[in-house]
């Protein structure tokens, strides 16, 4: 079906006509691509001749992107990887890293700085390499943590963005790469990562992959040009590689010569080069054999660390590597040493090794100590300090740990908790000469403090319990460099003694704690964790796995408010129901009650200046005004008129305060200026709108612009207030300007070095005035809106800066619930050019929108609509691209002390402009006012809200009828040995007790049976039998012939310890008026009931053992007998894990047979459809409008299965697409986009008119999926394939394995129909249009494999195909390539909008 004609512009390209979607299109293709497509096409299955064209599967693709990354922290590394004056902490996750910085504010807070997630691989291990961590003593007065955070940067002639920082992060990837990286703050304060990578030896050399263990020599000395220190990388078993590292001094000298940092300037591992570049020194004067050395290890490598050489060692290049090796059921210490100034070949094994004690055969970790070449081995039963390993057998000092503190949660495990990690706090040199201090952390949160003496005698005699963290801990535990120790430096005697510890939670929240001497540990920050994510539900009554919540006559189809998502997370005493919320987090610092006796509510709030007693806050009510002071004692006290003579009996419409405490208040009938101990200035007038702001050139001067009405009309007046001596003076500026319509809002903005006045008119217009240097106002532009109630009630100016341009946007909040953004063109000189031009319109709600500029980030606006807070921001590339949509995200108020804090309805919001509260949000919610800080880097992320249930929740669903969550959970009880069967035994036994409860999603109240116990979490009318597990719960609305009933059905698995056989139960229960579950009836089953769903008004369908069963109410004379009939069964051959019903079809995801579909006919289960592949299924979601079912597998893959309108002969479902993800999807959920995203034109074509889908994984990651039509998929996949080859977008991808040979590959392979949205987003974040243009125009990176080269080497052919695909995707109406790329970038940003 292809007509091939040789092209005239390239001998390596051809022009081909392809029949696509019913018409012929022309494509320019490389000859290698045609050969490959013909080869792949030959393997493609031919459609059955029995199927007509309508029975052939549609050509659909899938767009996937990571919405929320997993919160599981693998390790925490304090490392200054940006600059030595930055208090950075690196969090290492499974496949990404995150940099956080400790910011000065009281005890400090952690701010998110940057995330690097382009490794395209999991991270095996991570270490820090560089200069030693140092203890700093400052000359100025020390005040808590300010002494560290205020450390001044050293004097240097090099700017911040061209210096190699003190520390470099080393990562070993699962893709068999070793990565060195650090970060820089560039000129625009954007984070730039600089990395160097080298491949690890392949599996041919090692029995297993390298990177399980990474160790870096901790000792740093003055390096010579030819010297370096060492690093070791080991596999789990059998192999070890030694590396010689380039010294920090060498790398810094290279950068000084180059004047900039690029990838070629950064070579931490010694390389060999035959060329000398003029701009940098890259030649290394060592032979190739010296850069690394492979060593075969006979045994399993348990631990590996470098040791500190002894103080008496005169050789400053002495390197010592210690390994713990297990072989033949024995562990031994093995030591290597060498001189790092010579070849790595001199590294020699010292002695045969030392066998460890039987209690140390499997050490938990190895801790190098700083003196006497000492180290510490920590095992389950003992802690041993060894020293002097170089002079013979290491001498042990043992401390028995078997009698340490009992478990904090005895029922969480059969075993005692183990020690999971260690940390060394910062100490000065004088202190380290005396002793070494180590913190040990146990998995249940117990922290011990060790003092290890540096003397010949007893080095360790005891440990001291430092505190309890109140959370479970994994290996992510560290001491951050913020504390001062009063016992180690005379300068710090008065500063107290405090250490700061940070930990990531294990199935619980982590955090940051302060540990003071003889003080209780104090939690400062919370590191959110929502793992394991076991189940997910939503509150909107829409489809979850294809099933509706109840009949429409019992559940209203009109949903009030947005969709809310709830998940089962945590375990044990840290179990909770977590509300999944996406957006910007604002952490509450304080909140106070407003004493509003009339209960009429605050209409507007202004935060004025900071005073000696606190912060002045002006509150405007509909009938009066209140001036209060937010004191340091956390009280809100009213101020009487003796201090400030403002009008307390009128509603304030505008207010402000100068730097000299001059308050200007505007009400509906006056302007009043007041200052303490001065006579107030009062100007009487009928004022419709006003704006008060400080002068940009003089902060003691208050500018005022008002719209005043008199008998001659409405006039716009401009002036300012100042103080002269003891008098307040008002000075008008220019002449009043008459307005043609009634104004509703007035704003005075300083843009591009000059003032502009904006007036929103009731006639749906916006009048723009230019304020001349002499003060006169001249009309500059008039903008008109269309539509009902399109009146501008407020506006904000956003300023965006790129490397070469500064641009301003005007964000207008309209009365009809929309936000409209206008581009301000101050460079316009032609009368035909518009000062204001349309940029974008977002429909947020149906009530008026209030917008204000965020003074902490002038490229962002705070938006208040329908009593909800949001923030609006544009990316940098929107400066040159009017098609780029805004990012609009919710702002969620959170509380560190109240994880279940529920944000109320916000009626007013403002920000403090100065003082200690500068940048803080002040939000009025009914009778309370909250003070909050936007947390972190203010990038959108998951902001969880936890409802604790004091048990492990396993299943959750939302009942629209009850407006409550139905939760299955279990609690662990410890049965003493003496009480079991009445006999004494040698040990205790755990008992798991499953229960059901109702939870109010708003206030978190729990419904259980409270009649039998005061503790609502101990008793319930419905609980499991011994050995029974509740596997799931379903909502059922059966019709028994008399009426509809609202029931819940629980299915279980029961296994007795005395038998290997399992059985199950079906429990049918109702909920009382008090919200308490009550058992109605139960049915015994011969096998476990793994999944269940209701079918029709009378039946239940469930998976029992390896059978699918249908059970129906026993109806007699049109009424139910109260019992159910015997089940109708059909063999599945495997377990059914999930069931959904779409009458008359039943969809079953099976354990290892993929998706199976049955049809209920005449009370029988007939096979209807099946997956042709035997997949290890987990979950599925039916999309009826596309006749498509998405399935997930245990192999981290998903597949789209298409169901023909008529069943085929073999009953097989066609695989439409396949995709591989970082994790397995355990739950699917189809969601609706918010209204402002729909206003961007994100509705798809009728071919794929379905809502986005989210999928969750047990590790807490949440993904977004979107079905693509063929034109959209082809364009996105083409761009993705180019990005695969671009080292800027995929710097760590493998040339052969991960980067496709062809830019437009064959569709025969279903994985080619998958578009990775994470890669597309990298393109948008790293240059966007500039990067896309570069990929299209420059020669691609050559890919050679078995004689084949990459296709589309001609930029003409790439650009031609790009233009064709863009127009086929509906991006039309552009005359040149520049405009087409601009449109494509905007289109891609719209498609990648997060829908949650």
């Amino acid at each position: 079906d292809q007509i091939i004609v040789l092209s005239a512009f390239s001998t390596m390209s051809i022009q081909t006509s392809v029949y696509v979607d019913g018409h012929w299109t022309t494509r320019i293709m490389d000859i290698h691509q045609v050969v490959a497509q013909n080869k792949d096409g030959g393997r493609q299955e031919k459609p059955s001749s029995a199927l007509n064209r309508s029975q052939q599967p549609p050509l659909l693709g899938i767009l996937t992107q990571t919405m929320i990354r997993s919160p599981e922290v693998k390790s925490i590394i304090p490392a200054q990887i940006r600059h030595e004056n930055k208090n950075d902490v690196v969090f290492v996750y499974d496949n990404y890293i995150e940099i956080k910085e400790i910011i000065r504010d009281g005890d400090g807070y952690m701010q998110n700085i940057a995330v690097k997630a382009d490794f395209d691989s999991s991270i095996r291990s991570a270490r820090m390499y560089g200069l030693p961590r140092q203890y700093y003593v400052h000359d100025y007065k020390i005040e808590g943590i300010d002494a560290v955070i205020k450390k001044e940067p050293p004097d240097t002639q090099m700017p911040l963005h061209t210096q190699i920082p003190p520390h470099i992060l080393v990562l070993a990837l699962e893709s068999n790469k070793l990565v060195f990286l650090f970060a820089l703050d560039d000129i625009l304060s954007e984070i730039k990562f600089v990395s160097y990578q080298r491949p690890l030896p392949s599996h041919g050399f090692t029995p297993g992959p390298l990177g399980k263990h990474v160790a870096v020599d901790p000792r740093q000395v003055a390096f010579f040009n030819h010297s370096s220190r060492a690093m070791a990388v080991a596999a789990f078993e059998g192999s070890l590689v030694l590396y010689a590292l380039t010294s920090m001094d060498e790398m810094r000298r290279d950068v000084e010569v180059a004047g900039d940092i690029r990838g070629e300037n950064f070579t931490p591992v010694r390389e060999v080069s035959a060329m000398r570049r003029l701009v940098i020194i890259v030649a290394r004067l060592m032979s190739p054999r010296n850069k690394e050395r492979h060593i075969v290890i006979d045994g399993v490598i348990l631990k590996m660390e470098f040791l500190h050489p002894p103080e008496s060692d005169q050789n400053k290049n002495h390197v010592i590597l210690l390994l713990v090796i297990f072989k033949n059921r024995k562990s031994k210490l093995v030591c290597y040493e060498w001189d790092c100034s010579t070849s790595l070949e001199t590294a020699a094994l010292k002695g045969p090794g030392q066998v460890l004690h039987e209690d140390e055969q499997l050490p938990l970790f190895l801790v190098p100590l700083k003196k006497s070449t000492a180290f510490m081995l920590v095992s389950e039963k003992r802690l041993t300090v060894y020293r002097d390993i170089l002079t013979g057998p290491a001498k042990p000092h043992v401390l028995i740990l078997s009698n340490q503190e009992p478990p904090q949660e005895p029922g969480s495990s059969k075993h005692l908790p183990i020690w999971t990690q260690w940390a060394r706090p910062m100490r000065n040199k004088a202190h380290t000469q005396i002793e070494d201090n180590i913190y040990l952390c146990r998995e249940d949160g117990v922290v011990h403090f060790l003092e290890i003496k540096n003397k010949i005698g007893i080095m360790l005699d005891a440990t001291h319990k430092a505190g309890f963290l109140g959370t479970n801990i994994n290996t992510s535990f560290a001491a951050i460099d913020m504390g001062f120790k009063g016992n180690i430096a005379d300068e710090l005697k008065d500063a107290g003694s405090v250490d700061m510890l940070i930990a990531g939670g294990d199935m619980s929240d982590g955090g940051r704690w302060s540990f003071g001497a003889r003080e209780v540990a104090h939690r400062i920050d919370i590191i959110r964790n929502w793992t394991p994510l076991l189940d997910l539900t939503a509150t909107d009554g829409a489809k979850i796995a294809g099933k509706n919540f109840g009949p429409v006559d019992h559940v209203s189809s009109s949903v009030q408010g947005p969709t809310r998502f709830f998940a089962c997370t945590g375990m044990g005493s840290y179990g909770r129901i977590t509300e999944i919320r996406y957006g910007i987090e604002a952490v509450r610092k304080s909140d106070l009650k407003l004493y509003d006796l009339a209960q009429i509510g605050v209409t507007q709030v202004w935060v004025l200046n900071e005073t000696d007693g606190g912060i002045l806050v002006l509150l405007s009510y509909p009938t009066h005004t209140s001036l209060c002071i937010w004191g340091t004692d956390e009280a809100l006290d009213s101020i009487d008129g003796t201090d400030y003579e403002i009008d307390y009996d009128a509603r304030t419409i505008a207010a402000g305060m100068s730097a000299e405490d001059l308050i200007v208040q505007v009400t509906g009938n006056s302007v009043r200026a007041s200052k303490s101990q001065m006579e107030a200035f009062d100007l009487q007038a009928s004022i419709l709108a006003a704006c008060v702001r400080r002068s940009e050139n003089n902060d003691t001067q208050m500018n005022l612009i008002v719209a005043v009405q008199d008998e001659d009309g409405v006039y716009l007046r401009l002036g300012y207030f100042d103080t002269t001596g003891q008098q307040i003076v008002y000075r008008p500026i220019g002449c009043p300007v008459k307005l043609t319509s009634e104004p509703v809002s007035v704003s005075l903005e300083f843009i591009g070095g000059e003032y502009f006045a904006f007036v929103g008119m009731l006639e749906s217009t916006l009048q723009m005035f230019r304020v001349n240097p002499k003060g006169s106002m001249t009309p500059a532009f008039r903008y008109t809106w269309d539509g009902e109630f399109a009146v501008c009630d407020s506006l904000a100016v956003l300023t965006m800066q790129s490397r070469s341009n500064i641009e301003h946007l005007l964000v207008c909040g309209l009365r009809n619930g929309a936000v409209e953004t206008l581009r301000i063109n101050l460079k316009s000189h032609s009368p035909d050019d518009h000062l204001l031009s349309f940029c974008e319109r977002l429909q947020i709600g149906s009530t008026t929108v209030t917008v204000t500029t965020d003074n902490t980030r002038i490229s962002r606006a705070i938006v208040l609509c329908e009593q909800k807070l949001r923030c609006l921001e544009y990316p940098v590339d929107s400066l040159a691209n009017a098609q780029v949509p805004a990012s609009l995200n919710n702002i969620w108020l959170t509380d560190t002390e109240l994880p279940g804090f529920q944000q109320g309805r916000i009626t007013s919001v403002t920000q403090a402009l100065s003082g200690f509260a500068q940048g803080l949000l002040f939000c009025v919610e009914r009778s309370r006012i909250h003070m909050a800080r936007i947390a972190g880097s203010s990038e959108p992320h998951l902001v969880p809200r936890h409802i604790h249930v004091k048990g492990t929740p396993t299943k959750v669903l939302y009942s629209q009828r009850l407006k409550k969550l139905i939760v299955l959970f279990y609690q662990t009880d410890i049965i003493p040995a003496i009480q079991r069967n009445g006999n004494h035994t040698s040990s205790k036994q755990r008992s798991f007790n499953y229960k059901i409860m109702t939870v109010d999603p708003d206030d978190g109240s729990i419904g259980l049976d409270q009649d039998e116990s005061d503790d609502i979490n101990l008793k319930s009318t419905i609980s499991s039998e011994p050995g029974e597990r509740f596997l799931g719960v379903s909502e059922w609305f059966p019709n028994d012939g008399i009426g509809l009933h609202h029931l819940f059905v629980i299915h279980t698995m029961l296994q007795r310890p005395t038998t290997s056989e399992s059985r199950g139960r079906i429990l049918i229960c109702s909920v009382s008026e008090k919200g308490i579950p009550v058992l109605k009836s139960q049915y015994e089953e011969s096998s476990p009931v793994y999944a269940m769903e209701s079918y029709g008004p009378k039946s239940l369908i469930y998976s029992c053992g390896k059978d699918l069963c249908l059970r129906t109410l026993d109806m007699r004379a049109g009424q139910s007998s109260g019992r159910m009939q015997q089940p109708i069964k059909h063999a599945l051959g495997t377990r059914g894990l999930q069931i959904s019903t779409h009458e008359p079809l039943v969809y079953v995801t099976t354990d290892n047979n993929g998706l199976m579909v049955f049809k209920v006919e005449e009370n029988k289960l007939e096979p209807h459809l099946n997956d042709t592949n035997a997949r290890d299924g987990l979950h599925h979601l039916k999309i009826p409008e596309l006749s498509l079912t998405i399935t997930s597998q245990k192999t981290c893959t998903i597949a789209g299965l298409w169901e023909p309108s008529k069943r085929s002969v073999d009953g097989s479902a066609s695989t439409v697409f396949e995709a591989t993800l970082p994790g397995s999807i355990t739950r699917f959920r189809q969601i609706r986009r918010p209204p402002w995203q729909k206003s961007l034109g994100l509705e798809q074509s009728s071919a794929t008119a379905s809502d986005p889908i989210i999928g969750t994984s047990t590790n807490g990651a949440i993904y977004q999926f979107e079905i693509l039509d063929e034109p959209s998929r082809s364009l996105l996949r083409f761009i993705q394939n180019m990005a695969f080859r671009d080292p800027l977008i995929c710097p760590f991808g493998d040339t052969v394995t991960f980067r496709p040979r062809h830019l437009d590959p064959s569709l025969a392979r279903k994985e080619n129909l998958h578009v990775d949205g994470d890669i597309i987003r990298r393109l948008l974040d790293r240059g966007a249009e500039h990067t896309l243009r570069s990929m299209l125009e420059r020669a691609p990176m050559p890919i050679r494999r078995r004689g084949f080269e990459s296709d589309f080497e001609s930029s003409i052919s790439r650009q031609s195909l790009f233009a064709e695909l863009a127009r086929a995707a509906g991006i039309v109406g552009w005359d040149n390539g520049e405009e087409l790329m601009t449109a494509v970038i905007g289109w891609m940003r719209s498609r990648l909008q997060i829908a949650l």
Side-chain angles (χ1 to χ4, degrees), residues 549-556 960-961 1037 1044-1046:
F549 283 136
V552 294
D553 56 344
H554 278 253
V555 180
S556 174
Q960 284 285 354
R961 184 185 181 95
F1037 294 88
L1044 288 175
H1045 300 269
H1046 182 207

Side-chain angles (χ1 to χ4, degrees), residues 117 151 261 347 475 478 594 672 697 743 792 992 1077 1100 1212 1261 1271 1298 1310 1335:
K151 178 165 64 74
I261 295 180
T475 57
L594 299 175
R672 183 169 294 189
N697 302 321
C792 180
F992 299 98
L1100 293 174
S1212 61
F1298 297 107
K1310 298 306 178 183
M1335 292 191 303

Side-chain angles (χ1 to χ4, degrees), residues 388-403:
D388 300 329
I389 193 173
L390 297 180
T391 60
K395 304 175 180 61
H397 299 265
V398 180
L399 178 66
I400 303 300
L401 298 175
S402 58
N403 296 323

Side-chain angles (χ1 to χ4, degrees), residues 76 407-409 412 417-418 420 441-447 467-477 501-513 515 521 523 525-531 570-576 946 948:
I76 299 175
Q408 299 297 314
E409 267 194 278
S412 62
I418 62 174
T420 57
C441 184
R442 212 168 64 177
E443 62 181 338
D444 59 350
V446 173
V447 177
F468 173 57
L469 302 183
T471 187
N472 291 331
I473 302 298
N474 54 17
T475 57
S476 55
F477 176 74
L501 301 182
I502 189 169
D506 181 21
M507 296 183 288
S508 58
D509 287 337
R512 182 167 61 97
W513 292 263
F515 277 75
R523 192 173 200 160
D525 286 325
I526 288 182
I527 301 174
R528 306 290 184 183
N529 192 342
W530 51 91
T531 61
M571 185 168 288
S573 61
Y574 307 109
R576 53 267 176 110
H946 297 315
H948 286 275

Side-chain angles (χ1 to χ4, degrees), residues 787-809:
E788 191 176 6
F789 300 111
V791 179
C792 180
D793 283 328
S794 62
L795 57 84
V797 175
L798 306 186
T799 302
M800 296 178 296
Q801 179 178 1
S802 67
R803 300 180 186 275
S804 59
N805 190 20
I806 296 178
E807 190 165 340
H808 306 279
L809 295 177

Side-chain angles (χ1 to χ4, degrees), residues 140-282:
Y140 48 78
K141 182 181 178 181
I142 296 172
E143 298 177 355
I145 71 165
D146 295 354
V148 174
I149 296 181
K150 290 182 178 178
K151 178 165 64 74
E152 297 295 331
D155 294 335
T156 176
Q157 297 180 350
M158 299 185 66
L160 182 66
H161 60 277
T162 59
Q163 298 182 51
I164 290 183
H167 299 148
I168 294 171
L169 190 66
V170 184
L171 302 175
L173 304 182
E174 290 287 352
S175 57
N176 227 40
K177 285 183 173 64
L178 200 61
V179 176
F180 300 78
L181 65 85
F182 59 89
L184 300 172
D185 289 316
D186 68 4
I187 300 175
L188 295 178
S189 297
E190 296 177 356
I191 303 301
K192 172 187 176 183
F193 284 96
V194 181
S195 64
Y196 168 85
Q197 58 178 301
R198 62 180 295 126
L200 289 167
S202 63
H203 291 256
F205 164 73
T206 63
L210 288 166
K212 170 67 176 177
H213 305 282
V214 176
V216 178
D217 176 36
R219 186 176 181 183
Q220 301 291 331
V221 295
F223 294 96
F224 299 98
N225 287 338
H226 62 277
S227 67
S228 66
R229 299 302 289 186
M231 180 178 67
V233 180
F236 172 75
E237 179 182 10
S239 60
L240 165 69
V241 179
L242 302 180
Y243 292 93
L245 297 178
T246 305
S247 72
M248 300 296 292
D249 290 346
E250 269 189 286
M251 286 189 289
R252 285 179 171 176
R253 283 194 297 270
D254 289 350
V255 171
E256 289 176 5
V257 173
D260 193 10
I261 295 180
R262 302 181 182 89
E264 61 267 24
N265 301 53
F266 176 43
T267 51
V269 176
R270 286 192 167 274
E271 295 285 1
V272 180
S273 176
M275 301 177 59
R276 290 182 179 270
R277 298 190 178 102
L278 295 178
V279 293
I280 56 174
I281 301 173
V282 294

